[in-house]
Amino acid sequence: MSQAPPPVNPKLLKGAWPAFWITSPATQQREYGIYHFRKTFLLPTATKPKSFLIHVSADNRYRLFVNGIAVSSGPARGDLFNWFFETIDIAPYLNEGENILAALVWNMGNLAPVAQVSNQTAFVLQGDSPAEQIVNTDLSWKVKKNKAYTPCALDNGERLKAYMVVGPGDQVDGKLYPWDWETLEYNDASWNTAEELTHPQPVGYGTDNLWTLAPRNIPLLKESLLRFPVIRRINNIKVTKDFLTGKRPLTIPANQRVSILLDQQVMTAAYPEIIVSGGKGSRVKMTYSEALFDKQDHKGNRNEIDGKEIKGNYDVFIPDGEGNRKFRPLWFRAYRYLQLDIITADDPLVLNDIYGMKTGYPLQMNAAFSSNDPSLQEIWKVGWRTAQLCAGDMYYDTPYYEQLQYTGDSRIQALISLYTSGDDRLMRKAILDFYHSRTPEGLTQGRYPSNRLQIIPTFSLFWISMIHDYWMHRHDDAFVKQFLPAIHETLEWFHNRVDQKKKMLGPLTWWNFVDWDNFNDWGTAPGADQGNSSIITLQYAYTLNHAAELFRAFNHPAQADEQEMLALELNDHTYWYCYNKANGLMADTPEKLTYSQHAGIWAVLSGGVTLQEAQILMKKILTDKSIGQVTFFYRFYLTQALKKAELGDLYYQELKPWRAMLKMGLTTFAEKPEPTRSDCHAWSASPDYDFLATICGIMPETPGFKTVLIKPSLGELTEVTGTMPIPSGKVSVTLKRTGKEGIRAEILLPEQTSGTFSWKGKEIRLHGGKQIIAI
């Protein structure tokens, strides 16, 4: 796990900072613009300090350099009430005598990603102690607007026929760029003096705040070099492999049009960097895509390129003719394929190098899984890559199209994080982000941070379940307890909309999304708008039961009783109106005109049917293709329902969709079955959770993972091993079938941790340390 950031001077968390938010004078503060800020300073001592803490933030974003070295990027996305700042020790980058701090700050204005909240262009840097406050942002800082930048790729959504809201591409004119601006040698005599806006205020302090600052609550994102392994297509030039290794430059002759298609071979998230020399008047376009498209706009097998063209987000660099010019976009790009389209003028262009600087949240794999079916290893590996690419300064639904944090996606992502890495910090941030997103009605927003309002009532229910997940997997009562009033408000929004005649949910407002493909173009549940949706009513009952456990645990028994009684009433009436005993299915509405796997799943998970009915129901919905089918998102809940119906052994045979994606050449898991928009979508990485939680059967038996339940569901597998982190250490299981119904289990629990092993109705108590069980 990444090292914790240095502590913040407590005085800076209890009132106004001495530094100022600064900006560029005579500038349209809410419009698109890229700015450079600089300050030179002398260290007051003859030797370098052992520590030099600063706190830094910007609106929209910044990249900070110390003596020409990039040391930090941020801030982590939040909102105006929780505007995050980074704390960095810059002592390793300082020199005796004169030093330079330089910050690249940009504001995308009305072109900003939907995930970007903003007030106006601004930058702040605060020294932690009085000795470090010589670098505070104030009138001693200088600023210059960069006129080299023009937004491009503004029609991405239209060209891709898809919802794409990650912001524009960057077009950079090299002859207008202030090269070497971040170095001490650069002459900034013509730059403007920065304009002071206001003193920063931390959460809980100040009035008339433009931003309310909060310490960053997740680790800094890292960068690492990532080379392109292969060139897939070349037009009008010859290229050797040495070019991709950086060992041999490539010269593009004058007055040429050249195209080079690079294949990373797997999806990635990185800052592509290209270094060029010469080429005055040339134009270099870099296009990024998850896959190539045929003439019908179909992707097909992702490994195949014949008859296909690239289409997607792009950047443009216009060299100024000088040597060793490096272009890097302001924000990372998600891609498998990168195509260079180069037009030269009268001056040849030398491509010195091209590579990526891979980035993302520093998730570390601290779990392991293997089995007698080696094909599961590829699913495990691709699921992990998917989870990694969908984790940045918050959880992303998709790194290519949206980079938005949705509650429905985040619940699944958080469980994957807990099981594979043991890192709960991004989960905590997501829970808090949605808590901060709440509207006066009491619902959370469907995605957050976001500069556009979107309410998905079903996702507010997932937020409550996500808190319940955290409570079951982490012992952190203070964190969980703060959300109880908000949970109550959310549940009351639904309670106030219960149809008093049928005792099911009546008509619901906002976007009641359930799943793609099977209901309508917007994935809305039947009956959501008109009333009496069994799917949402039963999900509400399921959530009420989660909430009841939380309220009872925190000494609110009366509220817990009310929630349990309401859940029972909703289940009973939904069963009465929607359960069809003749076909063993749960209808979507009382009219019983349509049926879906979704309704059956929630009937099982909410406790709305008996165990015997649940088993009949689950077997039916797995085989009846005439009813509405789940896509990858809801396969997580399909698996949960199988487990509750004591049919977890059927999970293994339900991995066909993931095997199909691998056959299609996907290197991350897609948003939904073909044709799909996103080739990398977080909710589809659920096997990395289920291989451990379902096949190995490792689950928290009591809140905080104080005790462990190991209830394997091997299906057709005969041998399985799994290891995963829990708060007290690691749990390891080695499982081997013996005969038709028997099992031999070798289990290792952390010392002082106990639990239960469950197999085919037999339960055996577990103790800390190693034990061997034979049944």
Side-chain angles (χ1 to χ4, degrees):
M1 189 175 291
S2 298
Q3 188 175 2
V8 180
N9 184 340
K11 292 182 179 179
L12 297 177
L13 300 178
K14 295 180 179 180
W17 291 9
F20 284 88
W21 281 100
I22 59 174
T23 191
S24 178
T27 298
Q28 295 295 324
Q29 298 294 340
R30 290 184 168 89
E31 293 186 359
Y32 175 94
I34 288 80
Y35 304 87
H36 302 279
F37 293 84
R38 282 171 53 98
K39 177 183 174 65
T40 57
F41 65 100
L42 287 169
L43 287 177
T45 60
T47 58
K48 289 173 54 178
K50 293 182 179 179
S51 175
F52 198 101
L53 292 185
I54 61 170
H55 314 292
V56 59
S57 191
D59 185 350
N60 299 168
R61 289 185 175 269
Y62 73 87
R63 189 178 185 215
L64 181 69
F65 297 82
V66 180
N67 292 321
I69 300 172
V71 299
S72 174
S73 294
R77 280 186 175 137
D79 55 29
L80 297 181
F81 183 77
N82 292 273
W83 196 272
F84 295 106
F85 65 87
E86 282 73 42
T87 297
I88 310 152
D89 186 354
I90 62 171
Y93 310 99
L94 296 177
N95 301 318
E96 295 179 20
E98 195 171 24
N99 291 268
I100 175 74
L101 289 176
L104 172 64
V105 174
W106 63 93
N107 186 342
M108 293 290 102
N110 62 356
L111 302 175
V114 169
Q116 182 64 58
V117 176
S118 177
N119 192 330
Q120 67 165 84
T121 301
F123 175 66
V124 64
L125 189 148
Q126 170 70 54
D128 189 64
S129 70
E132 293 148 335
Q133 290 179 15
I134 58 171
V135 297
N136 285 3
T137 43
D138 53 24
L139 296 178
S140 65
W141 281 72
K142 289 191 169 186
V143 61
K144 179 182 178 65
K145 184 174 182 179
N146 190 330
K147 296 180 180 179
Y149 282 85
T150 305
C152 64
L154 303 181
D155 60 344
N156 276 332
E158 182 180 343
R159 285 184 296 108
L160 291 168
K161 299 180 178 65
Y163 184 64
M164 188 168 186
V165 290
V166 295
D170 301 328
Q171 178 168 306
V172 179
D173 188 341
K175 67 178 179 295
L176 300 177
Y177 193 90
W179 297 103
D180 302 320
W181 66 274
E182 70 276 23
T183 65
L184 194 58
E185 294 75 21
Y186 183 87
N187 184 354
D188 60 12
S190 64
W191 287 30
N192 293 322
T193 298
E195 178 183 334
E196 295 176 343
L197 290 173
T198 185
H199 289 291
Q201 297 281 0
V203 171
Y205 295 88
T207 182
D208 213 26
N209 294 354
L210 298 177
W211 305 265
T212 303
L213 289 170
R216 184 183 179 107
N217 52 12
I218 57 172
L220 295 172
L221 308 188
K222 303 295 185 181
E223 294 184 21
S224 59
L225 179 66
L226 184 67
R227 291 245 169 229
F228 289 95
V230 64
I231 299 172
R232 293 293 300 276
R233 188 160 59 201
I234 306 168
N235 290 328
N236 299 328
I237 197 166
K238 292 183 179 180
V239 184
T240 66
K241 290 183 178 180
D242 286 346
F243 168 62
L244 294 183
T245 65
K247 296 178 180 178
R248 178 177 295 180
L250 174 67
T251 299
I252 313 294
N255 301 305
Q256 293 291 314
R257 287 178 174 264
V258 167
S259 179
I260 303 171
L261 179 65
L262 306 175
D263 184 357
Q264 194 67 61
Q265 296 192 319
V266 296
M267 269 293 295
T268 191
Y271 292 94
E273 295 187 351
I274 184 169
I275 302 172
V276 305
S277 296
K280 185 176 182 179
S282 16
R283 184 177 187 270
V284 180
K285 181 181 180 183
M286 303 169 66
T287 304
Y288 318 98
S289 69
E290 297 180 313
L292 303 190
F293 296 83
D294 64 19
K295 292 180 180 179
Q296 289 74 43
D297 280 336
H298 296 154
K299 298 178 183 178
N301 189 295
R302 306 315 195 256
N303 296 321
E304 297 171 358
I305 67 169
D306 291 344
K308 296 180 181 181
E309 297 297 331
I310 199 165
K311 183 169 59 173
N313 194 18
Y314 64 85
D315 297 305
V316 176
F317 178 45
I318 303 171
D320 65 344
E322 299 300 320
N324 290 308
R325 297 305 204 201
K326 180 192 291 186
F327 168 77
R328 163 189 168 120
L330 295 170
W331 188 233
F332 77 83
R333 306 304 186 206
Y335 57 88
R336 171 178 170 174
Y337 292 98
L338 188 159
Q339 183 163 301
L340 292 170
D341 289 296
I342 302 169
I343 302 173
T344 56
D346 295 335
D347 186 16
L349 175 71
V350 178
L351 301 184
N352 300 96
D353 205 356
I354 184 170
Y355 51 85
M357 294 302 294
K358 185 178 179 181
T359 188
Y361 183 91
L363 275 179
Q364 297 178 3
M365 175 58 80
N366 292 314
F369 175 84
S370 63
S371 73
N372 62 293
D373 180 354
S375 69
L376 296 191
Q377 289 306 113
E378 188 65 17
I379 295 176
W380 171 267
K381 182 175 70 174
V382 172
W384 172 244
R385 183 182 299 120
T386 306
Q388 285 182 300
L389 293 180
C390 293
D393 57 355
M394 56 187 186
Y395 284 126
Y396 303 141
D397 61 329
T398 159
Y400 189 86
Y401 286 92
E402 296 185 45
Q403 296 173 24
L404 282 163
Q405 181 174 252
Y406 287 84
T407 335
D409 307 57
S410 294
R411 185 192 180 194
I412 298 170
Q413 290 172 274
L415 288 169
I416 295 168
S417 296
L418 293 180
Y419 268 66
T420 56
S421 73
D423 190 335
D424 59 28
R425 291 171 292 183
L426 210 53
M427 181 183 194
R428 289 167 58 91
K429 182 181 187 297
I431 291 172
L432 284 166
D433 285 343
F434 292 119
Y435 178 60
H436 298 146
S437 80
R438 287 173 301 134
T439 64
E441 287 187 332
L443 294 177
T444 62
Q445 295 185 42
R447 60 193 187 196
Y448 203 76
S450 173
N451 57 39
R452 302 179 193 173
L453 179 71
Q454 182 195 76
I455 308 292
I456 306 178
T458 54
F459 278 24
S460 291
L461 296 176
F462 286 133
W463 177 67
I464 296 172
S465 294
M466 190 176 179
I467 296 169
H468 184 272
D469 293 339
Y470 185 84
W471 173 66
M472 287 298 295
H473 291 80
R474 290 293 181 270
H475 182 68
D476 193 348
D477 288 354
F479 182 74
V480 173
K481 187 177 180 179
Q482 67 181 312
F483 304 117
L484 295 182
I487 291 172
H488 175 74
E489 285 188 13
T490 299
L491 295 174
E492 281 300 293
W493 186 90
F494 287 91
H495 192 186
N496 292 334
R497 287 157 177 77
V498 172
D499 180 340
Q500 293 305 308
K501 182 179 179 181
K502 283 192 170 69
K503 300 297 182 183
M504 295 176 65
L505 285 172
L508 302 175
T509 51
W510 303 109
W511 179 26
N512 286 278
F513 173 81
V514 172
D515 196 4
W516 290 123
D517 282 354
N518 296 302
F519 302 120
N520 55 42
D521 289 342
W522 289 95
T524 304
D529 298 334
Q530 301 80 18
N532 303 313
S533 163
S534 70
I535 295 172
I536 304 179
T537 300
L538 293 169
Q539 185 190 350
Y540 177 37
Y542 163 85
T543 310
L544 283 164
N545 287 326
H546 275 172
E549 291 184 30
L550 290 170
F551 278 91
R552 197 173 302 284
F554 289 94
N555 300 314
H556 299 283
Q559 280 183 277
D561 288 343
E562 289 176 8
Q563 289 157 353
E564 288 174 346
M565 290 300 295
L566 179 56
L568 184 62
E569 184 178 58
L570 293 168
N571 278 338
D572 286 347
H573 285 77
T574 305
Y575 180 91
W576 173 264
Y577 284 107
C578 298
Y579 186 66
N580 188 331
K581 293 185 178 180
N583 64 14
L585 291 172
M586 183 69 70
D588 295 327
T589 63
E591 292 77 17
K592 298 180 181 175
L593 299 176
T594 62
Y595 296 83
S596 66
Q597 290 184 316
H598 309 77
I601 286 167
W602 288 122
V604 174
L605 290 177
S606 68
V609 292
T610 66
L611 176 59
Q612 183 179 6
E613 289 170 330
Q615 292 182 336
I616 295 170
L617 179 56
M618 292 307 298
K619 290 177 180 177
K620 180 77 173 179
I621 69 173
L622 289 181
T623 56
D624 191 341
K625 303 304 179 184
S626 69
I627 66 175
Q629 301 290 297
V630 298
T631 66
F632 303 152
F633 172 32
Y634 251 71
R635 282 194 166 272
F636 171 83
Y637 293 98
L638 176 68
T639 302
Q640 298 300 304
L642 285 172
K643 292 171 69 173
K644 183 156 187 181
E646 302 291 347
L647 296 172
D649 279 329
L650 298 179
Y651 170 72
Y652 175 73
Q653 70 184 36
E654 292 300 312
L655 290 170
K656 295 182 181 69
W658 285 275
R659 298 183 190 278
M661 282 188 274
L662 295 179
K663 288 181 181 179
M664 288 289 289
L666 281 132
T667 61
T668 48
F669 290 131
E671 180 176 7
K672 63 185 185 70
E674 294 287 299
T676 183
R677 174 190 62 153
S678 166
D679 277 6
C680 181
H681 216 85
W683 63 31
S684 299
S686 56
D688 275 44
Y689 165 76
D690 278 315
F691 282 10
L692 295 168
T694 300
I695 294 178
C696 294
I698 306 170
M699 295 285 289
E701 184 178 45
T702 54
F705 240 129
K706 290 180 182 177
T707 61
V708 180
L709 172 65
I710 299 177
K711 189 176 183 179
S713 297
L714 301 186
E716 298 164 34
L717 295 170
T718 57
E719 295 183 25
V720 166
T721 62
T723 300
M724 62 164 285
I726 65 172
S728 59
K730 281 193 173 184
V731 175
S732 295
V733 299
T734 301
L735 307 167
K736 186 173 183 179
R737 281 186 176 275
T738 56
K740 188 176 181 180
E741 298 293 331
I743 192 168
R744 184 184 185 278
E746 184 177 306
I747 298 170
L748 181 63
L749 299 185
E751 295 295 338
Q752 313 304 318
T753 301
S754 61
T756 302
F757 180 80
S758 178
W759 177 260
K760 307 292 184 183
K762 296 181 180 179
E763 294 189 346
I764 297 173
R765 291 301 297 168
L766 300 172
H767 56 77
K770 184 178 178 180
Q771 51 236 286
I772 295 175
I773 297 169
I775 298 176

